[in-house]
């Protein structure tokens, strides 16, 4: 078997773009991406990729059919590849011990068993999915219990790409982290993976650790990023009460180089498939080791996030004369952030449900995420209109609730929007992306986040 053969199990948000980048940068490798979901694979093989990510189509087209292949034949892929990345989903457990917090590793274990069963030669297995610390050990045991005498090396290589900027993050990562087992085989495997990334990543940015540190670093990176958001969001609540302006506070605080300016934007709360899940993993891990104070500390980051989402919805109700029953509310944005169609854990889901509970009529618009929104709210039978045009969404609406920071929201004609709405017209800018003074002058009652409101009422 050619050693320069890579398989990735799981053609999702992580597996797909990561493999497309490796294929583009390493023309000497054959890269195959396999997934049990035939529809997803058909998408990867078509002009309409299953995920929206700026620059991804060009990247895939560069190598697809040359050294990049998408297939449903997982078994065949395993047989033919020397290095196997596993990038299957690891959702939060919904049942049994650890339900609501621990990671459900069933897909990972299934993949490991399949690798052990199908392999005919020694292989390197790379964890791309985020796994709780010490999961690699369990996986190694499963792999090593094969009866063919094969040797498997397990590496941890967590992904730090953010959606919306995945291609740029992969092209120019802050760091590539690879954890390996402490053994001669582990070291050899490590070198092979380092060589792959060294095709385009400066060597000093490829850092190597033991497997546990690598797994732990992924959880902690996401926990600390989320913690910054919860910290600034908690202060946004205080700003609304005191007349301080969260954007000014965040700017002033962020200029301190020790703090840094990024990830200090207050908003409706963080979403995405990783932050909440990874923090809950960390919390569960701490509880397992009886570190209750540590567990409570990190859990608070998630609780603060839920508070922020709830607070946004409650502010809408309170300021619209304590009732939104029967009122049309235009929801601007459903994705968990701009430049993606992904809605996993999007604050929009929770906020929409709270507004629907108050019997509002929602008119939801998002440039990329409407299909996912329909799935997320699939159980709701009345009170939602999905609009493919923002001007349609605002027609007859009493309020706009801006949830996602899509750039286009700032570019609309708000004079026209104002004229289409019921009066008094409200705007709740959950991301502070609009020109609030201008909107106020147009006639809107403006509720920025973490700043004093601007209303035309006496
Ligand atoms: C995944 C993990 O969920 C996350 O923990 C990690 O941090 C990065 O990788 P993502 O790529 O966003 O994230 O997941 P998703 O888009 O759900 O893709 C997983 C894919 O694996 C799906 O397409 C699914 O069909 C596939 N899969 C799942 C398999 O091919 N086989 C399985 O047994 C299970
Ligand atoms: C995150 C991590 O950044 C990435 O390294 C990891 O691999 C996966 O999880 P992602 O979920 O794609 O990436 O998006 P990210 O840009 O981190 O944003 C997460 C959430 O935080 C979004 O809902 C975003 O709107 C919110 N956010 C981000 C804020 O509310 N304020 C900020 O200042 C930054």
């Amino acid at each position: 078997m050619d050693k320069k053969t890579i398989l990735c199990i799981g053609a999702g948000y992580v597996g797909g773009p990561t493999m497309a980048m490796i294929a583009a940068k390493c023309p000497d490798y054959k890269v195959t991406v396999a997934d049990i979901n035939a529809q997803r694979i058909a998408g990867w093989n078509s002009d309409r990729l299953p995920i929206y990510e700026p620059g991804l189509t060009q990247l895939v087209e560069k190598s697809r059919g040359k050294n990049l292949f998408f297939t449903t034949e997982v078994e065949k892929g395993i047989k033919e590849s020397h290095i196997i990345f596993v990038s299957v989903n690891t959702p939060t457990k919904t049942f049994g011990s650890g339900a609501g917090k621990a990671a459900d590793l069933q897909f990972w274990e299934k993949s490991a068993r399949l690798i052990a069963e199908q392999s005919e030669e020694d292989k390197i297995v790379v964890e791309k999915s985020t796994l709780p610390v010490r999961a690699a050990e369990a996986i190694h045991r499963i792999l090593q219990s094969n009866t063919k005498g094969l040797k498997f090396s397990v590496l941890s290589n967590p992904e730090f790409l953010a959606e919306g900027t995945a291609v740029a993050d992969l092209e120019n990562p802050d760091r590539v982290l690879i954890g390996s087992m402490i053994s001669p085989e582990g070291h050899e495997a490590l070198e092979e993976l380092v060589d792959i990334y060294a095709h385009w990543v400066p060597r000093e940015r490829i850092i190597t650790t033991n497997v546990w540190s690598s797994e732990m670093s992924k959880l902690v990176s996401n926990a600390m990023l989320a913690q910054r958001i919860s910290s600034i969001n908690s202060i946004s609540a205080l700003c609304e009460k005191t007349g301080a302006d969260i954007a000014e506070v965040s700017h002033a605080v962020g200029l301190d180089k020790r703090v840094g300016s990024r990830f200090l934007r207050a908003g409706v709360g963080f979403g995405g498939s990783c932050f909440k899940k990874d923090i809950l993993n960390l919390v569960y891990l701490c509880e397992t080791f009886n570190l209750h104070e540590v567990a409570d500390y990190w859990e608070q980051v998630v609780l603060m996030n839920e508070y922020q989402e709830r607070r946004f919805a409650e502010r809408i109700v309170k300021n619209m004369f304590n009732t939104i029953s029967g009122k049309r509310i235009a929801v601007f944005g459903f994705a968990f952030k701009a430049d993606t169609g992904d809605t996993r854990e999007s604050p929009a889901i929770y906020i929409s449900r709270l507004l629907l509970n108050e019997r509002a009529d929602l008119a939801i618009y998002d440039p990329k995420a409407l299909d996912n929104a329909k799935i997320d709210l699939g159980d709701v039978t009345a009170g939602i209109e999905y609009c493919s045009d923002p001007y349609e969404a605002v027609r007859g609406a009493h309020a706009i609730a801006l949830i996602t920071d899509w750039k286009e929201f700032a570019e609309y004609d708000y004079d026209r929007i104002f004229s289409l709405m019921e009066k008094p017209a409200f705007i709740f800018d959950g991301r502070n992306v609009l020109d609030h003074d201008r909107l106020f002058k147009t006639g809107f009652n403006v509720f920025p986040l973490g700043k004093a409101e601007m209303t035309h009422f006496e």
Side-chain angles (χ1 to χ4, degrees):
M1 179 183 45
D2 183 357
K3 282 209 159 182
K4 295 196 164 180
T5 42
I6 296 175
L7 172 75
C8 176
I9 307 180
Y13 285 88
V14 171
T18 309
M19 292 304 123
M21 184 58 76
I22 291 181
K25 298 292 184 183
C26 309
D28 48 331
Y29 278 81
K30 180 183 172 201
V31 182
T32 307
V33 190
D35 201 296
I36 47 171
N37 183 335
Q39 204 188 338
R40 259 207 170 168
I41 290 301
W44 283 107
N45 281 321
S46 77
D47 294 340
R48 216 170 157 241
L49 301 185
I51 60 173
Y52 169 73
E53 196 63 59
L56 184 60
T57 306
Q58 295 90 309
L59 185 70
V60 168
E61 280 172 359
K62 211 168 152 184
S63 318
R64 195 173 53 196
K66 294 188 191 117
N67 69 328
L68 175 65
F69 303 91
F70 295 93
T71 176
T72 51
E73 295 180 305
V74 187
E75 287 89 347
K76 184 160 170 266
I78 293 172
K79 281 203 179 74
E80 292 176 356
S81 307
H82 175 57
I83 302 174
I84 303 178
F85 287 80
V86 183
S87 184
V88 297
N89 39 332
T90 49
T92 305
K93 263 184 100 172
T94 52
F95 54 88
S97 140
K101 286 204 182 107
D104 182 349
L105 301 180
Q106 59 166 316
F107 301 130
W108 227 110
E109 174 160 348
K110 241 179 49 201
S111 304
R113 287 182 187 277
L114 199 62
I115 294 171
E117 182 194 298
Q118 296 294 326
S119 294
E120 290 158 357
E121 291 170 63
D122 295 353
K123 290 190 195 296
I124 298 171
V125 176
V126 186
E127 301 180 2
K128 225 8 162 173
S129 309
T130 307
L131 298 181
V133 187
R134 301 201 85 91
E137 192 170 52
I139 287 156
H140 192 238
R141 284 192 185 140
I142 293 172
L143 290 167
Q144 279 318 126
S145 60
N146 75 84
T147 48
K148 294 173 265 188
L150 298 177
K151 278 212 166 74
F152 293 92
S153 300
V154 179
L155 298 174
S156 158
N157 174 217
E159 192 48 72
F160 296 106
L161 63 83
E163 285 173 35
T165 54
V167 174
D169 294 343
L170 285 165
E171 175 118 46
N172 190 18
D174 285 352
R175 80 301 206 187
V176 168
L177 177 58
I178 307 175
S180 68
M181 302 196 138
I182 303 158
S183 66
E185 298 91 61
H187 197 75
E188 212 176 290
L190 174 78
E191 286 307 318
E192 283 192 48
L193 193 54
V194 168
D195 280 348
I196 291 177
Y197 284 106
H199 276 68
W200 79 97
V201 180
R203 188 62 187 81
E204 66 277 9
R205 276 197 244 155
I206 305 176
I207 54 176
T208 56
T209 64
N210 72 39
V211 182
W212 329 130
S213 301
S214 168
E215 290 177 333
M216 175 86 86
S217 303
K218 168 71 185 194
L219 291 183
V220 174
S221 294
N222 276 346
M224 291 190 81
L225 289 170
Q227 180 201 40
R228 284 172 69 90
I229 301 171
S230 275
S231 296
I232 203 73
N233 282 345
S234 73
I235 302 302
S236 75
L238 189 59
C239 285
E240 282 166 28
K241 296 282 183 210
T242 56
D245 177 327
I246 194 65
E248 291 176 352
V249 173
S250 162
H251 182 63
V253 172
L255 279 179
D256 186 325
K257 285 202 184 65
R258 294 167 300 178
V259 177
S261 61
R262 299 181 63 189
F263 268 74
L264 283 183
R265 263 178 299 115
V268 286
F270 59 77
S273 68
C274 285
F275 280 0
K276 183 173 166 192
K277 182 184 75 166
D278 289 354
I279 294 172
L280 293 178
N281 255 314
L282 193 63
V283 168
Y284 182 69
L285 203 65
C286 294
E287 280 170 357
T288 309
F289 293 108
N290 282 323
L291 298 171
H292 299 296
E293 286 80 357
V294 187
D296 290 349
Y297 176 76
W298 287 106
E299 188 163 24
Q300 193 58 35
V301 174
V302 173
L303 297 177
M304 184 54 64
N305 197 52
E306 288 166 3
Y307 166 73
Q308 185 75 352
E309 294 172 336
R310 200 166 58 239
R311 210 169 70 73
F312 181 72
E314 284 170 357
R315 197 170 180 221
I316 294 177
V317 179
K318 179 167 166 269
N319 287 289
M320 293 178 70
F321 319 109
N322 284 312
T323 174
I324 54 171
S325 173
K327 291 180 185 165
R328 182 175 173 95
I329 297 183
V331 175
F332 275 12
F334 209 83
F336 79 98
K337 64 183 219 181
D339 294 325
T340 175
D342 192 356
T343 59
R344 288 178 292 176
E345 299 293 339
S346 176
I349 302 172
Y350 186 51
I351 292 168
S352 294
R353 287 188 186 279
L354 291 173
L355 298 177
L356 286 164
N357 257 345
E358 295 288 336
R359 308 236 168 118
D361 287 326
L362 301 186
I364 300 176
Y365 167 76
D366 187 289
K368 295 284 178 200
L370 273 194
D371 288 345
N372 281 331
K374 286 176 195 166
I375 298 170
D376 296 329
L377 298 175
D379 58 307
V380 181
T381 50
I384 308 181
E385 192 186 319
Y386 297 95
C387 303
S388 52
D389 176 354
Y391 296 96
E392 202 42 55
V394 299
R395 192 181 294 278
H398 290 254
I400 296 172
L402 188 151
I403 296 186
T404 311
D405 45 349
W406 283 104
K407 201 160 156 270
E408 65 172 63
F409 292 155
E411 292 159 0
Y412 293 166
D413 175 353
Y414 281 92
D415 291 334
R416 180 172 163 214
I417 289 180
F418 185 71
S419 71
L420 290 169
M421 289 175 67
E422 289 289 322
K423 311 294 169 337
F426 293 81
I427 284 199
F428 297 88
D429 182 356
R431 299 281 188 172
N432 289 339
V433 290
L434 304 177
D435 182 343
H436 302 137
D437 290 333
R438 174 101 207 275
L439 291 171
F440 179 67
K441 282 191 197 120
T442 304
F444 284 102
N445 296 300
V446 187
F447 291 79
L449 195 127
K451 305 180 192 208
E453 61 222 42
M454 303 155 83
T455 71
H456 297 281
F457 305 124
E458 288 302 306

